Amino acid sequence: MEKRLMHAIQYIAYGGGSNALKHVEVPVPSPSKDEVLIKLEAASINPFDWKVQKRMLWPFLPPKFPYIPCTDIAGEVTEVGKGVKKFKPGDKVVGLVSPFSGGGLAEFAVVKESIAASIPPEISAADCAGLPVAGLTALQALSKSIGIKLDGTGERKNILVTAASGGVGHYAVQLAKLGNTYVTATCGARNIEFVKSLGADEVIDYKTPDGAALKSPSGKKYDGVIHCATEYPWSIFEPNLSMNGKVVDITPSSSSMMTFALKKITCSKKQLVPLLLIPKGKDLQYLVDLVKQGKLRTVIDSKFPLTKAEDGWAKSIDGHATGKIIFEF
Ligand SMILES: NC(=O)c1ccc[n+]([C@@H]2O[C@H](COP(=O)([O-])OP(=O)(O)OC[C@H]3O[C@@H](n4cnc5c(N)ncnc54)[C@H](OP(=O)(O)O)[C@@H]3O)[C@@H](O)[C@H]2O)c1
């Protein structure tokens, strides 16, 4: 039987940025035993997606060319694998496509049941499509790495979120405020009011001397830092940390890996820990439920149709998104 075809975006070699994205017709994938096939309504882009294209995850990703990028998708289930129990055709879901198979920037994509979550009727696919990588990273950093209890029952902690206007940062500020925290945040001048509206208690412009030094305006020492910006040496963090302060670096460089090792070996109370996202469906469902309860929102920087996917790709590479860049289908 002839395979059904769908519109997809792919690239065939490393590099080239948005100009290297090609619009193609490829067969609709089939779900394996533990997967669901989703007809996409929305997808979101993360810096991870273009870092793969830039060869920054070589030799692991992509496994081969041609490669259909993007992991974060939301839409309607049209088919389920034989072993799938949680979902049925017609359900709305958000999920994370395996970067090892690729396939998110297409009309249809498959995700494992274990890293998908149900979308209730009152929220849109676009409101959920930003959650998988950025939302789960913020959640993992706050709750697992720093130990913030998001029901507010933990002891009071001072948290710094860097690049709080970005995809991960804007979720991190909102989630941190669900816990018992005082949140300091950094962002550019144009986003200060926006980041305050997310709940940050104090906001610093990263281009000012105090911002560059990550100094809290009220003199707070940070118990935890969700570090979403890049290129800050340990010497900037160290004087701003409380006695047991911990920096969670979500974009660890080789020098931060050295700091991590050094702090471990010397049993330092102040620590820097690298974070690699370990996505779980139940955590994703937790985030979707927070959106439903009005406790978490996805701020959408801009939306692009699949026909203009290269414009969204270029905007993400540019690095100045406020919230999430979304593709709509
Ligand atoms: N470890 C993991 O598993 C994991 C998971 C997710 C993301 N990440 C990484 O985390 C980083 C952030 O991701 P993202 O999705 O949040 O990126 P993003 O949405 O592209 O971030 C863009 C935002 O960051 C702000 N920004 C840039 N440099 C800044 C600085 N020095 N201080 C304050 N704000 C700054 C920009 O503000 P302006 O426009 O004002 O400059 C912009 O609003 C990326 O490197 C990504 O690869 C890692």
Side-chain angles (χ1 to χ4, degrees):
M1 205 173 69
E2 285 269 306
K3 272 238 157 201
R4 221 166 21 130
L5 295 180
M6 63 176 185
H7 182 184
I9 307 294
Q10 69 180 25
Y11 57 85
I12 56 168
Y14 289 114
S18 58
N19 291 332
L21 300 182
K22 302 278 175 246
H23 293 254
V24 292
E25 295 278 310
V26 294
V28 172
S30 298
S32 57
K33 200 175 154 203
D34 58 347
E35 289 176 337
V36 296
L37 177 67
I38 297 171
K39 183 172 188 333
L40 269 71
E41 291 171 13
S44 85
I45 181 166
N46 293 286
F48 171 84
D49 298 313
W50 48 259
K51 286 180 182 181
V52 171
Q53 186 197 28
K54 279 193 172 187
R55 210 173 189 264
M56 290 166 78
L57 285 107
W58 184 87
F60 307 107
L61 288 168
K64 61 181 170 63
F65 295 114
Y67 183 72
I68 299 175
C70 284
T71 57
D72 291 7
I73 64 164
E76 185 171 320
V77 174
T78 58
E79 207 181 317
V80 298
K82 282 194 183 107
V84 169
K85 297 200 171 64
K86 268 191 341 197
F87 304 111
K88 58 181 189 321
D91 288 349
K92 299 277 180 169
V93 297
V94 52
L96 204 141
V97 172
S98 163
F100 293 99
S101 56
L105 213 41
E107 286 178 283
F108 292 84
V110 288
V111 294
K112 286 205 183 299
E113 175 183 34
S114 59
I115 41 176
S118 300
I119 303 177
E122 51 272 68
I123 47 180
S124 71
D127 287 333
C128 292
L131 293 172
V133 167
L136 287 175
T137 300
L139 178 66
Q140 188 176 319
L142 280 161
S143 59
K144 308 262 165 27
S145 306
I146 301 207
I148 302 293
K149 292 189 174 151
L150 299 193
D151 59 3
T153 58
E155 66 180 80
R156 184 106 171 129
K157 286 198 170 154
N158 295 326
I159 300 296
L160 170 69
V161 178
T162 64
S165 52
V168 181
H170 93 292
Y171 288 129
V173 171
Q174 297 176 73
L175 291 173
K177 287 309 297 176
L178 297 178
N180 182 14
T181 63
Y182 185 94
V183 173
T184 304
T186 74
C187 65
R190 71 192 167 93
N191 281 317
I192 288 180
E193 289 311 314
F194 162 65
V195 172
K196 279 188 186 159
S197 78
L198 299 172
D201 297 288
E202 53 185 18
V203 184
I204 6 174
D205 173 357
Y206 75 96
K207 290 186 178 152
T208 61
D210 277 357
L214 302 178
K215 260 195 189 151
S216 152
S218 60
K220 299 264 182 316
K221 296 287 179 193
Y222 310 121
D223 303 305
V225 178
I226 312 297
H227 184 38
C228 307
T230 51
E231 314 286 332
Y232 284 78
W234 176 252
S235 57
I236 303 261
F237 291 115
E238 209 279 332
N240 292 303
L241 295 176
S242 65
M243 204 167 61
N244 294 306
K246 191 190 262 190
V247 178
V248 182
D249 190 351
I250 69 167
T251 316
S253 60
S254 46
S255 90
S256 52
M257 292 306 283
M258 292 280 285
T259 305
F260 163 62
L262 193 68
K263 298 291 147 202
K264 274 270 167 237
I265 293 164
T266 57
C267 298
S268 166
K269 287 190 170 158
K270 295 181 182 180
Q271 288 178 40
L272 183 144
V273 292
L275 179 144
L276 182 65
L277 173 63
I278 301 169
K280 291 188 183 139
K282 79 171 174 27
D283 291 342
L284 190 53
Q285 193 65 61
Y286 173 74
L287 294 178
V288 173
D289 292 346
L290 289 179
V291 174
K292 183 182 166 192
Q293 293 158 27
K295 293 179 175 170
L296 181 69
R297 65 188 166 109
T298 298
V299 174
I300 298 179
D301 172 274
S302 42
K303 286 183 181 173
F304 297 87
L306 191 59
T307 49
K308 298 244 188 255
E310 43 285 269
D311 295 347
W313 193 265
K315 190 158 204 310
S316 179
I317 293 177
D318 197 36
H320 295 294
T322 297
K324 293 294 302 176
I325 297 168
I326 301 289
F327 298 112
E328 275 195 319
F329 293 73

